[in-house]
Amino acid sequence: MKNIELVVFDMAGTTVNEDNVVYKTLCKAINQKGHSVTLDFVLEHGAGKEKHQAIKDVLAAKYNSSKFEIESQDIFNDFKIQLNEAYDKLEVKSYNGIEELITVLKKSKIKIALNTGYSSKIANLLLTKMGWQLGMQYDTLITADDVSNGRPQPDMILKAMEELKIKEPLKVLKAGDSAIDVEEGKNAGCGITIGVTTGAQTRKQLEQANPTYVLDSLIELSDILV
C-alpha cells in the first residue's frame, strides 16, 4: 500500500459523523456573549483547532484584534458545558464505509491513529457512543490534552508515530476535513496528506492547503492505497 505504515485520521467530520454539533455549539457560545458570527465563519477560522484556540482565532478574525483573550476563557467554559449537554443526547456514528475501510487497512498491516482538537473526555465519549475500541478500530488516540502544541503544529502526529513505533514520516498518511489538518500533516512531513469534504470545509478551502488529494469520502482511500 504505497509504503504507508500509519494513517492518522481526524475525528469529527472525517471519521465521526456528528452533524457539526461542535462548531454549531461553538458558534452559539460565542454569539451568546454578544457577538455575531455565522457557522461558516466559525468553520473557516476555527475548524480543526483546539477549541479554546478556535474561539480566540474566530474572535481575532472577526475584529482583527486580540483584545478578547480574557473573554475567550468564559466563552470556552460555557462551550464545554453546552457541548457536554449536546453530546449526552446526540446519536453519533461513523461515516458510511469507514469501518470497511478500517478492515482493509488492518488486513494490510497499516496502523490507525485518531487525533483531534477535542479534549480526551469528549473524544472518548464519541468513541464509546460509536462502539469503537482501542485495538479494534484504532491503535491509538491522541487528543489536544496530550500535547503542548495543537494544530497546525505536528505534535499530535509525532506522538502517534512515537507510540506506534513508526520512524519515517514519509510512511504516514494524514487525513482531515480542514485545511489545518492538511497543514499539520505537512508540518509532520507526512508522505500523503488528504483533505476530505465530508466535514468542516469545502473543496476550495481544502485545496488552499495543497493536500496530496481532496476526496469526497475517506472510502476513496482504498482506490489510492491499494
Side-chain angles (χ1 to χ4, degrees), residues 54-206:
I55 292 166
K56 290 190 282 188
D57 288 353
V58 168
L59 291 175
K62 171 73 173 175
Y63 299 105
N64 195 26
S65 170
S66 60
K67 68 178 182 178
F68 297 98
E69 181 82 19
I70 296 175
E71 183 183 346
S72 70
Q73 183 64 57
D74 290 336
I75 296 173
F76 182 56
N77 291 340
D78 290 344
F79 161 75
K80 288 189 289 184
I81 293 169
Q82 293 176 27
L83 187 62
N84 283 334
E85 293 172 350
Y87 270 147
D88 281 342
K89 304 170 186 174
L90 185 70
E91 179 183 349
V92 180
K93 57 187 177 181
S94 59
Y95 285 99
N96 291 338
I98 296 297
E99 297 205 28
E100 290 82 357
L101 171 64
I102 287 171
T103 298
V104 170
L105 296 175
K106 285 190 166 291
K107 283 182 178 178
S108 300
K109 309 298 183 186
I110 295 177
K111 296 184 182 296
I112 297 168
L114 302 177
N115 78 346
T116 178
Y118 291 142
S119 66
S120 177
K121 179 181 177 181
I122 291 293
N124 279 289
L125 173 63
L126 289 175
L127 293 170
T128 298
K129 280 178 171 280
M130 293 196 305
W132 283 25
Q133 297 180 27
L134 181 66
M136 297 291 291
Q137 288 84 3
Y138 64 101
D139 298 297
T140 190
L141 167 67
I142 309 297
T143 75
D145 291 341
D146 298 317
V147 295
S148 298
N149 301 302
R151 297 169 182 151
Q153 298 305 312
D155 297 31
M156 286 196 287
I157 294 176
L158 298 179
K159 185 171 179 61
M161 290 175 61
E162 179 182 2
E163 289 193 2
L164 298 175
K165 298 180 171 54
I166 304 297
K167 303 292 187 183
E168 299 179 41
L170 287 177
K171 295 183 177 182
V172 179
L173 178 151
K174 169 62 207 255
D177 64 311
S178 64
I180 202 168
D181 284 298
V182 176
E183 292 166 13
E184 175 195 26
K186 287 177 173 290
N187 288 336
C190 292
I192 298 176
T193 54
I194 302 286
V196 62
T197 62
T198 48
Q201 295 189 324
T202 64
R203 176 176 290 271
K204 183 177 179 180
Q205 288 171 321
L206 293 167

Side-chain angles (χ1 to χ4, degrees), residues 1-2 9 97-98 100-105 173 215 217-226:
M1 277 199 168
K2 294 193 176 180
F9 290 148
I98 296 297
E100 290 82 357
L101 171 64
I102 287 171
T103 298
V104 170
L105 296 175
L173 178 151
L215 307 179
S217 169
L218 264 193
I219 60 175
E220 296 175 47
L221 275 183
S222 295
D223 297 329
I224 292 170
L225 294 178
V226 175

Side-chain angles (χ1 to χ4, degrees), residues 1-51:
M1 277 199 168
K2 294 193 176 180
N3 294 319
I4 293 298
E5 296 180 353
L6 169 66
V7 295
V8 182
F9 290 148
D10 175 52
M11 290 184 62
T14 303
T15 51
V16 181
N17 184 357
E18 42 76 277
D19 193 33
N20 263 339
V21 69
V22 170
Y23 297 107
K24 290 176 181 176
T25 305
L26 200 70
C27 185
K28 177 182 175 182
I30 291 171
N31 288 338
Q32 283 177 335
K33 292 295 185 183
H35 305 287
S36 180
V37 296
T38 65
L39 178 60
D40 285 344
F41 191 84
V42 168
L43 291 171
E44 179 180 358
H45 297 286
K49 300 177 181 179
E50 184 276 324
K51 298 308 176 269

